[in-house]
Each structure stands twice: as structure tokens, then as C-alpha cells.
Amino acid sequence: GLNSQCINKHKPWIETSYHGVITENMDTVLLDPPLVALDKDAPVPYAGEICAFKIYGEEAPFEAVVLNRTSGEGVLQASGPVDCESQKEYTFIIQAYDCGAGPSGADWKKSHKAVVHIQVDDVNEFCPVFREPLYKASVTEGKIYDSILQVEAWDQDCSPQYSQICNYEIVTAGTPFAIDRNGNIRNTERLSYDKQQSYTIMVTAFDCGQKRAKEDVAVHIDVKPVCKPGWQGWSKRVDYEPGTGSRPLFPKMHIETCGGPLSGVKVMLELQTNHIGKGCDRETYSEKSLQKLCGAASGSTDLLPGPSSSTNWTASLLTDSSRDSDLIYRFDGHQAANVPHHVVPQNLTDQFTIATWMKHGPSPGLRAEKETLLCNSDKTEMNRHHYSLYVHNCRLVFLLRRDFTQVDTFRPAEFHWKLEQICDKEWHYYVINAEFPAVTLFVDGVTYEPYLVTDDWPIHTAKIDTQLTVGACWQGGEVGTPRFTQYFHGSLSGLTIRPGRIETQKVISCLQACKEGLDINSLESLGKDIKFHFNPAQSLLVVEGEDLDSINTAMSKVSYINSRQFPTPGLRRLHVTTAVQCFGEDTCLSIPEIKSVVMVLPPSEPRITIAGSNRLVRPANDLRGPLGVAPFKELHITSTVMKGDGVTEVMHNLDYCDVLVIGEELNPERESLEIHHSALLGKHLDATNSTSGISIYGVDCMAHYEQALRQVRYRNWRPAALNERKFRLTCSELNGRYTSNGFNLEVGVLHHSAPVEHVNHVAAQPQYMRPVHHPLMIHTLNSHMSAATVVIVVCIAALVVIVVIGVYRIHATHQEGSREDEEEVKDTEEDWDNSALNITVNPMEVKEEDLEEEEEEEEEDEEQVGGVTSDTDEEGGEEEREDVSERKQKKKIEWDSTSLTY
């Protein structure tokens, strides 16, 4: 032992500490300083050589290997897998051993303990991974955010270089978003909910070794609308089907106020109908028909009628012919019309009415001229205006100069009104009611007193004719050549004048009433706090309330209504403006205006059909008789519309039926076509006739027109000259907007025939036509009564007496009888009627018979019984319509009226 100690004197020497680096998943450790052990026993074999390095501590996965025993060099290497992610560094102890005293290795010595510190170098083996599978966020539209949300990725690598995320990127192209290095996403522009309600963008991440995430992450961003105060749940267009009554406009509409505390809401709805007709949908009947319909007093003169042969003074004027057959005249400062003398009412009296529709804009130029609507001035020699209606600088002026004979003091002469309506380029209805010296103006049914009345001297009487003009004033004197002056610029329609009466407020309102407007359904269901009011035309509605629910309910009940059977189709704009009141403030929320439209769909167009017998052949005596013949006795008027696949019959009014004479005009010396005024009583009808035909007009039902037309009489007291008379009948609804077929009828004469039963040529009559009974005709060949004739007449007289007595007895017997008996009587009577005899009437007795006829027809009207007149031949079959009780009362009349003459 001593010996060996002598040999191995020294222990090996190593450094006190080592620092090493190993790259993960590799074996070799780079040590600093290098691993070298020294032994002072060198170069003695064994004792001076290094045999081993030993490692202690923490089960370090390393081993040290001696490379050269003599030089003492060694190497440190991994003995197992080294993973930075599980351990980034190791610290352990290392000692060097020499080889001892000899080959056996006995008496070895070891060095002091050295500390080894090893750092494991990272390899970028992991990709970044996002912490969440999906990111969600929401933004409010219209805002720019610094950061909407932050995404975060991480990396398993152990080193900052490879585990840190150096960059984020938005993969989706063209989005309004950006992302920074920390994963904050922001918007690059203001977002709009209307444009896009949500975005999904894909995002990726890179670590600092530029390794990209394997999987991108989705980021879902919702755009929330700003709470906008306003109406919701309304539609921009509402279709209106004609004839459907009141149609709700906004059944689901409600107001959004974004939670602010409110004290009240006021909503104004305005229906704009200025482009429809004369400012809104009205019945487009002629002025005369409308006046009759509204119950206006008769006697008014239409100064702007449609041009025709009898009303030709409007022929040269410009018309604005709208498709709705509304008669509008446009004056551009160059047109005027002279109203013929026979048309003009000669004396206006102290009470009169002038009415017109007018549409007028501001006058061009600084000093505007007077613009004349209506002027009555001297025709020649002088230039005095007796009365006139004119516009001057947006004022309406009515001038009325009285005659000196009536009054010789200073009197009111000019009445001025200053109103916005006069120059607003919209249609208005003006009525001037004069009860001299007071004059009142109605505009659209509202009364206005003049703001200025000036007096003037009366006009001295001169025997000069006056001239009534429309659209300008006639200057007949004090100029080189008489001419029109002070022309009107604008549009007029329905200009009428009526002396002797003024118009009532009720009639004026009726004449200008709109047939369309706003409406509120089921008023009783409105909240207690709701107040509402309409303007007179119902084109403006204001609804006020304190509670949002009641305002919403009220708005859901607001409707559009058009009461015309055939409305004017097209758009009507609807504007809704809303003001919201807050506590203690005037207005706090601004609610956007709503612009919507009501689309009135085209109505089903009616097809008016006139049917009946087209030829009437009658003996000369019938034509010559006091009543002549009723050519349209079998007439029927029907109207149909296309509904779905089929045709449906409809009832509607007519406004005129014209019977025109085809060929040469009637010769008043030998023929007439007329209707007795009693045929029009109890109906809204009037009639005019001339040598070119007859016109029945007024707004009334088809049945009344049918009844009236059946009582039109054609008479010819020299039938020998007649071969045939041709007539054409046409009927209209809405002033010609819908017209019937032209129904042609020929009246012929049966000349000099033997006594024969005249056979009705209509072979198969439609069921609804009442059969016409043609009696046996007796014709005398010459005017001197032959004995045979007298005998026949006497026989007939006897027969008639028997008939009268017989029927009288039947009446007496059955007067208290049962209803069934009465029916039998009816049949019996009809049998008598069927065999009614036509007896030539003595011309001397015509007057008496006419009187009887009139009396009887008046009575008929009071009882509203149709069709019994003294011409048994024509009207016999019509007694079917009478009520039996009425027949009892009229028993006497029926038989009296046969007017038998011998």
C-alpha cells in the first residue's frame, strides 16, 4: 500500500466549474472550458493517466467519456433524450478518476468536485396554436374601435425565440379590419348594419422563428344597429283594390324610441293627391249632373261646357283632356270665349252664385295685369265692366256695378280676397255667393269674408248690349278695333252662374267633396289618451297620444278609403312626420319621415250593353195618335265586368243617355221625339231635346234610365211621308269614360194594310222582356165613315160597355176577397188588357185626353207606381207591377182612362 501510494502520489485536477450547451434532440454537449483532467503523476503509467469521469446528481441524462487517458481529454454527451420543453437546463457534479497504481486500478484517486451547468438549446419544432377554437365579438355600427377584441396564440417551444408569437395576420382578403402584433383586432372603417350585419374573418399567427400556425382561427364579428328612433314594420307600397272599402295602411307598424322617457307623440299623415283629377279623386260627372246629384237648385248655366253643336263657343279653347274624362280648360294668356247672348242669364238679381274650379300660379312680371275668369262688359261703344271675376297679384276680385235705375248712391262694387290658394298652382273650388250688398267666398267649402270692399257709383243705363266672356274681358269701345284684353293664365273647370238663388254650404261641400282620403277604422278601440283630427278633405290626419302602445294601435288603424266604384288608378304618395316630446324639453328625439305610396289598382272596366228590339213597325194611326209610339219599349240596359275567369253583372249609375236621329233632322212641322216630364219625376234625371234627338242626363241607376227611355215617344202626324226613322241610343257612365254600344233602332210604318193581327217580329223573346201585346188594328181607308164602319164601331162600343160592367162586377165581388182571389182578378184583367182595342181618336178630343193622362201620371208618381198611362195599347202589360191594394184605389182611373171616342 505504501508502495502504491508512493507510485500514485497525486489526485487528478479539473476546473471548478463548466458551462455547457446542448441542442435538444442532439447528443453532443459543447463545454466551456473543454473537459480535460490533469494528473501530476504523469507520465507514470496508471497513476498519471485518467481513467474515468463520473457524474452525480438529479439523474442527469448525461455521461462523460474519456477520449485519451494520457492527455486527460474527455467529452460530455447525452445518455438519453434531451428535451428542452421538459427541462431547459441541468446542473450536476463531475469528478475525474485516475487509473490507480497499476492495471488493477487499485489505489485510484479522484479529483475535487466540479459543478457542470448545461443549457439545452431550443429547436423550433412547434407551430403556434390559438388559445380559443373560435373568437366572437360584437360592435355597434358607425363607431371606430381601438380594439374590438384580442386573439392569442401560444407556442410550446421552450425558448423565447421560438415560443414567442412575433406576428398575427388576417388571412381573409378585403375586410374592413386590421390586427396588430399583440392580436388586437380593430375596424378600419365605420360599419353599417344595413350594409352588412356580420363578418367572419380568418386569422393566423407566426412565432419569432417565422413558423406559422397550422390552423387559422375564425373570428366572428356581429354589427349591431345603433338604436335608431323611428317607425318599424311598415311597407313602402300598399296596393288598394277598388271597392274594398277602408284598407289599413300600416297594420304592423310600431315606433322605436330607444328607451327614452317620453311625454307625448304627435304624428301627422299627409296623403298627396294633387296629381289626381282636380286635386283628388272625385266623381267626374259633368257640372250639371253633379249639381243635380248634390241637390243644387236648378237654373244654373254652365259657361264652360264640352264643345258640341249647341255649345260651340268652347270649341276654340284648349282642353287638358285627362284619361278620366274630366273636362278641364287651360288658358295660356291667348284664349277666351264669347258666351252667346241666348245662354247668358239676363238679370243676375240681388242673389246669385258664381262657381268654378281654378288652378292658378303666381303671375309672371313685376306689375302683373288683371287676369279675367269671367267678364260682362259693353259689347260696343263703351268699355264698362258690369260684373267680372278676376285675379290680380294673387288676389281674387269680384266686381259688380249696379244699374243707376236700381240705386243712385255710392255702393259696394269691388270685393277683394287675398288667399294663398289663389297662387299655389293647385286645384281649388271657388264659390261666390252674392246677397247684395254682402258677398261671401267659399274656397274648398270654407268661407272667407273680403278683406277689402271698395265703393263705386252705379252705371248709368245705356241701350248697349253686354257681352259675357270667359278667359278674358271684351273691350268693345274706346279702342280702334274691339278685342279681348286682360287674359287669364291658368286652368278652369265647371264655371257656372246662377241668378236668383245662393248656394247652401251643404251643396257646396258636396260639389267639392273628395271621394278618397284617410280614415280611422274602429274608433272605439283607440286609447283614451289618443286625440286625432282630419282636415275637411281627409287628406291630412293628426294623431296625438302620450302612450306608445296607444299610438302604435292608433297607427295600425289608419286606413285609405276610396268610395268611387271606378276610382282613378295610380299612385298617391303618403308622408308621415312624427314629433316626440320629452319631459321638460321641447323635442328630444328626431324620428325620420316615412315616405310610402298607396297604389290604387285599375278598376274592372264595365261593359254597358243596350239590348232590345231593333225594329218597330207600326200602323200609321199609332204614329199619328196623341202619344205616338214608344220606340224603346223593350229596352234593357245591363253592365258586366270581367272577374277572374268569368263575367259578372254589376250595377252602377249612368250619367247620360243620348238618342240621336240618324239621317236628316226631325221636322218639327210633322214629327216629334220627346219625353213627358212626369217620366222623370222622382228620379235624378233631366232631359233636353232638339231636332237632332233627345238627351236624358243626371246621375241615376240603370233601372231609372231604362224606365225613362221606355217612355220616350216618337210621333208623326203625317206618317204617309215616312218610310222609316232611324235612331241611335248610347249611354255613358262618368261623362263618357265608359260608354255603351250604339243601339240602333228603326221605326217603320205599316201602310194601308187590311185588318190583321200585327205579329211581333221578335220570335224568341228573352225571358226578362215583358211581352208587348199588339192589338187588332182597324184601319179606315178613307176619312168618310162608311156604314160598315159605323156598325163595327157601335158593336165595339157595346162590347166595351159589357166589358166595363163585367169588370166592375168582378171588382165589387172580390173587393173583400182573399189574396188568392185578388191574384185571379189580376189574371182576368190581364186577359182583358191583352185584347185591348185600338180605336181611332177624334182629334177634337185630344186635349182632354192629354189632360187626363197628365193627371193620372202625376198620381202615379206620388204612389211611385210604374207604367199605367192612358195608352192601353202600349202600356197594357205593365199593370203586373202594381200592388193590389193600389189597384183597388185606382180601379176607377184605369177604366176612365181608356178614353173611348166614337
Side-chain angles (χ1 to χ4, degrees):
L2 185 67
N3 187 26
S4 62
Q5 273 183 352
C6 294
I7 297 164
N8 191 6
K9 293 177 180 166
H10 303 89
K11 59 182 183 182
W13 175 91
I14 53 175
E15 300 279 351
T16 53
S17 69
Y18 291 90
H19 193 80
V21 176
I22 183 170
T23 301
E24 64 175 334
N25 308 330
M26 307 288 275
D27 294 340
T28 320
V29 179
L30 295 172
L31 274 181
D32 176 32
L35 184 57
V36 177
L38 303 174
D39 197 318
K40 287 185 179 168
D41 293 321
V44 177
Y46 298 109
E49 292 173 324
I50 302 298
C51 254
F53 292 101
K54 276 203 176 154
I55 286 170
Y56 307 94
E58 298 184 33
E59 295 171 17
F62 295 101
E63 57 186 10
V65 180
V66 178
L67 292 177
N68 183 329
R69 287 165 66 163
T70 311
S71 67
E73 286 173 76
V75 66
L76 190 64
Q77 59 191 30
S79 60
V82 177
D83 181 12
C84 172
E85 281 72 40
S86 52
Q87 196 165 339
K88 288 186 186 178
E89 48 191 35
Y90 294 87
T91 304
F92 50 87
I93 304 295
I94 193 166
Q95 276 183 315
Y97 289 78
D98 62 15
C99 295
S104 65
D107 293 330
W108 46 262
K109 284 194 161 70
K110 56 183 179 180
S111 70
H112 64 267
K113 290 176 181 169
V115 177
V116 181
H117 187 84
I118 290 183
Q119 180 187 335
V120 182
D121 265 3
D122 191 17
V123 170
N124 196 0
E125 58 195 323
F126 291 98
C127 299
V129 173
F130 285 96
R131 292 202 184 278
E132 304 287 342
L134 174 69
Y135 288 89
K136 285 183 179 173
S138 61
V139 296
T140 303
E141 62 175 343
K143 276 177 71 176
I144 294 278
Y145 288 78
D146 293 334
S147 171
I148 296 168
L149 79 161
Q150 186 178 19
V151 297
E152 195 187 350
W154 65 290
D155 189 316
Q156 275 176 281
D157 286 311
C158 62
S159 65
Q161 185 188 355
Y162 297 140
S163 69
Q164 250 181 10
I165 308 296
C166 265
N167 212 0
Y168 290 93
E169 223 172 76
I170 292 175
V171 183
T172 314
T175 66
F177 298 98
I179 193 164
D180 66 10
R181 300 184 60 166
N182 299 322
N184 290 305
I185 295 176
R186 66 182 194 278
N187 53 328
T188 55
E189 59 186 63
R190 293 176 201 282
L191 304 179
S192 153
Y193 175 80
D194 293 337
K195 189 172 152 199
Q196 194 165 337
Q197 284 108 56
S198 69
Y199 295 85
T200 300
I201 55 176
M202 302 305 290
V203 173
T204 191
F206 295 90
D207 64 22
C208 295
Q210 286 308 298
K211 206 174 184 82
R212 177 180 168 163
K214 256 204 190 78
E215 287 185 7
D216 303 336
V217 74
V219 180
H220 192 78
I221 298 171
D222 279 327
V223 182
K224 290 235 164 62
V226 171
C227 178
K228 288 199 191 98
W231 290 102
Q232 296 178 355
W234 54 279
S235 46
K236 283 196 162 73
R237 167 174 161 160
V238 180
D239 284 351
Y240 182 82
E241 183 78 50
T244 52
S246 204
R247 165 83 204 262
L249 292 167
F250 306 119
K252 297 196 173 73
M253 181 155 92
H254 58 276
I255 192 166
E256 172 62 74
T257 58
C258 300
L262 308 175
S263 61
V265 180
K266 180 177 180 179
V267 189
M268 188 164 87
L269 298 98
E270 186 187 2
L271 182 71
Q272 296 181 338
T273 58
N274 303 348
H275 59 295
I276 304 289
K278 295 194 285 279
C280 70
D281 216 358
R282 294 183 173 86
E283 296 300 10
T284 53
Y285 295 119
S286 70
E287 204 56 38
K288 257 187 152 51
S289 297
L290 278 173
Q291 290 193 347
K292 192 144 183 69
L293 194 62
C294 287
S298 55
S300 81
T301 303
D302 190 352
L303 299 177
L304 283 177
S308 71
S309 56
S310 56
T311 58
N312 57 5
W313 70 91
T314 55
S316 63
L317 300 179
L318 295 176
T319 54
D320 259 355
S321 53
S322 64
R323 60 179 169 187
D324 208 6
S325 63
D326 208 351
L327 189 61
I328 291 168
Y329 287 97
R330 192 172 83 247
F331 295 86
D332 59 7
H334 303 290
Q335 287 86 20
N338 278 326
V339 183
H341 197 65
H342 67 272
V343 175
V344 184
Q346 289 315 299
N347 184 2
L348 275 189
T349 72
D350 276 355
Q351 286 196 345
F352 59 88
T353 295
I354 296 175
T356 187
W357 285 96
M358 177 171 81
K359 178 177 170 181
H360 182 266
S363 313
L366 288 169
R367 297 205 49 198
E369 261 226 327
K370 292 178 179 178
E371 296 179 57
T372 307
L373 284 80
L374 178 71
C375 176
N376 185 298
S377 57
D378 288 333
K379 200 167 195 171
T380 55
E381 296 177 41
M382 297 169 92
N383 183 27
R384 300 173 307 171
H385 294 189
H386 296 257
Y387 60 86
S388 71
L389 181 62
Y390 62 88
V391 172
H392 190 213
N393 288 327
C394 295
R395 289 161 176 76
L396 186 68
V397 184
F398 179 61
L399 165 80
L400 179 65
R401 304 277 303 279
R402 308 312 298 249
D403 277 356
F404 192 73
T405 49
Q406 293 165 300
V407 59
D408 59 353
T409 55
F410 225 39
R411 291 310 299 269
E414 268 193 335
F415 302 84
H416 298 247
W417 291 270
K418 186 180 180 182
L419 301 171
E420 286 172 18
Q421 291 94 315
I422 296 167
C423 283
D424 67 0
K425 296 184 183 170
E426 303 288 357
W427 280 107
H428 298 286
Y429 187 54
Y430 298 83
V431 178
I432 285 180
N433 261 354
E435 284 184 286
F436 199 75
V439 177
T440 305
L441 171 71
F442 289 78
V443 182
D444 299 331
V446 181
T447 57
Y448 296 92
E449 294 304 319
Y451 81 96
L452 172 68
V453 179
T454 57
D455 291 354
D456 203 344
W457 290 105
I459 289 181
H460 280 266
T461 319
K463 290 194 167 57
I464 302 173
D465 283 341
T466 58
Q467 174 65 59
L468 183 62
T469 52
V470 176
C473 215
W474 180 252
Q475 192 164 1
E478 302 171 9
V479 281
T481 43
R483 60 187 172 88
F484 283 117
T485 175
Q486 297 174 359
Y487 282 100
F488 180 68
H489 294 257
S491 297
L492 298 176
S493 178
L495 174 61
T496 58
I497 186 164
R498 179 172 63 254
R501 291 276 308 255
I502 60 164
E503 208 47 278
T504 64
Q505 173 97 39
K506 187 179 168 191
V507 169
I508 292 170
S509 298
C510 169
L511 284 169
Q512 57 95 38
C514 286
K515 293 287 181 179
E516 66 179 333
L518 298 169
D519 190 23
I520 291 186
N521 283 344
S522 56
L523 293 171
E524 63 283 349
S525 62
L526 291 184
K528 294 274 181 292
D529 63 319
I530 293 289
K531 295 202 288 281
F532 65 91
H533 61 268
F534 289 97
N535 68 340
Q538 283 194 212
S539 60
L540 202 68
L541 165 63
V542 177
V543 181
E544 293 182 74
E546 294 155 21
D547 177 59
L548 287 187
D549 286 343
S550 19
I551 279 283
N552 289 340
T553 307
M555 290 301 283
S556 71
K557 307 253 186 270
V558 173
S559 307
Y560 168 80
I561 187 166
N562 192 319
S563 58
R564 291 188 70 189
Q565 192 172 0
F566 305 111
T568 305
L571 288 179
R572 279 82 165 146
R573 298 192 188 288
L574 186 64
H575 285 194
V576 182
T577 46
T578 312
V580 174
Q581 240 74 62
C582 294
F583 293 100
E585 293 176 55
D586 292 346
T587 52
C588 47
L589 280 183
S590 120
I591 305 279
E593 184 184 24
I594 284 184
K595 291 185 177 180
S596 173
V597 296
V598 179
M599 182 70 177
V600 177
L601 303 173
S604 304
E605 304 226 339
R607 189 169 168 191
I608 305 166
T609 308
I610 303 174
S613 168
N614 291 94
R615 190 167 163 79
L616 180 75
V617 180
R618 275 303 164 85
N621 280 350
D622 282 16
L623 290 159
R624 208 186 273 127
L627 290 166
V629 294
F632 300 106
K633 182 83 177 58
E634 294 183 358
L635 178 91
H636 274 270
I637 305 172
T638 53
S639 184
T640 53
V641 292
M642 295 296 289
K643 273 275 166 70
D645 303 336
V647 175
T648 316
E649 192 165 330
V650 286
M651 299 308 289
H652 57 76
N653 288 329
L654 298 175
D655 60 346
Y656 65 78
C657 285
D658 288 344
V659 180
L660 284 174
V661 177
I662 307 292
E664 48 182 275
E665 295 199 349
L666 295 173
N667 180 346
E669 288 176 12
R670 63 164 180 258
E671 56 187 339
S672 69
L673 182 71
E674 51 198 14
I675 184 165
H676 198 284
H677 76 94
S678 61
L680 305 174
L681 284 174
K683 304 179 175 71
H684 286 289
L685 297 178
D686 260 332
T688 54
N689 64 345
S690 69
T691 54
S692 53
I694 195 163
S695 178
I696 301 173
Y697 61 90
V699 181
D700 212 335
C701 62
M702 291 188 281
H704 277 178
Y705 266 96
E706 214 173 74
Q707 287 167 22
L709 285 161
R710 288 175 179 181
Q711 295 182 63
V712 168
R713 299 272 169 181
Y714 172 66
R715 204 174 151 217
N716 190 319
W717 42 100
R718 293 191 206 148
L722 179 77
N723 282 330
E724 55 192 19
R725 252 295 171 209
K726 290 185 182 170
F727 301 105
R728 178 176 298 142
L729 167 64
T730 48
C731 292
S732 138
E733 162 64 333
L734 294 169
N735 213 8
R737 177 169 163 193
Y738 304 121
T739 49
S740 70
N741 56 317
F743 174 76
N744 294 314
L745 176 93
E746 286 181 18
V747 177
V749 191
L750 202 60
H751 288 289
H752 312 304
S753 65
V756 294
E757 168 79 34
H758 172 53
V759 184
N760 182 7
H761 76 282
V762 182
Q765 285 184 325
Q767 293 152 341
Y768 54 72
M769 286 194 177
R770 232 171 275 109
V772 176
H773 307 295
H774 296 274
L776 180 67
M777 296 298 171
I778 300 164
H779 285 265
T780 48
L781 295 176
N782 54 14
S783 52
H784 304 291
M785 274 196 177
S786 64
T789 314
V790 173
V791 171
I792 293 167
V793 170
V794 171
C795 294
I796 290 166
L799 179 63
V800 168
V801 170
I802 293 162
V803 169
V804 172
I805 292 164
V807 173
Y808 182 79
R809 286 176 72 177
I810 291 166
H811 264 285
T813 315
H814 289 281
Q815 201 143 357
E816 294 84 21
S818 69
R819 189 81 181 155
E820 287 167 31
D821 290 345
E822 286 171 353
E823 293 299 326
E824 284 169 30
V825 175
K826 187 169 161 183
D827 295 343
T828 327
E829 283 184 4
E830 276 178 39
D831 293 345
W832 287 114
D833 291 338
N834 289 355
S835 59
L837 298 164
N838 194 64
I839 289 129
T840 312
V841 178
N842 178 346
M844 297 300 288
E845 298 205 27
V846 168
K847 282 285 190 300
E848 193 184 317
E849 183 179 295
D850 279 354
L851 282 169
E852 269 185 44
E853 183 216 341
E854 269 187 86
E855 268 175 52
E856 188 210 304
E857 288 203 354
E858 278 163 26
E859 188 166 339
E860 199 186 293
D861 252 284
E862 285 160 31
E863 295 181 26
Q864 291 197 320
V865 172
V868 181
T869 71
S870 60
D871 187 2
T872 339
D873 155 47
E874 281 298 320
E875 309 279 359
E878 293 211 14
E879 288 169 289
E880 296 156 17
R881 283 194 274 180
E882 276 192 52
D883 188 273
V884 173
S885 60
E886 286 167 354
R887 180 178 291 127
K888 282 179 197 164
Q889 298 164 18
K890 294 185 61 176
K891 177 173 57 194
K892 186 161 170 291
I893 295 172
E894 284 165 21
W895 291 101
D896 288 352
S897 65
T898 46
S899 295
L900 299 173
T901 53
Y902 299 95

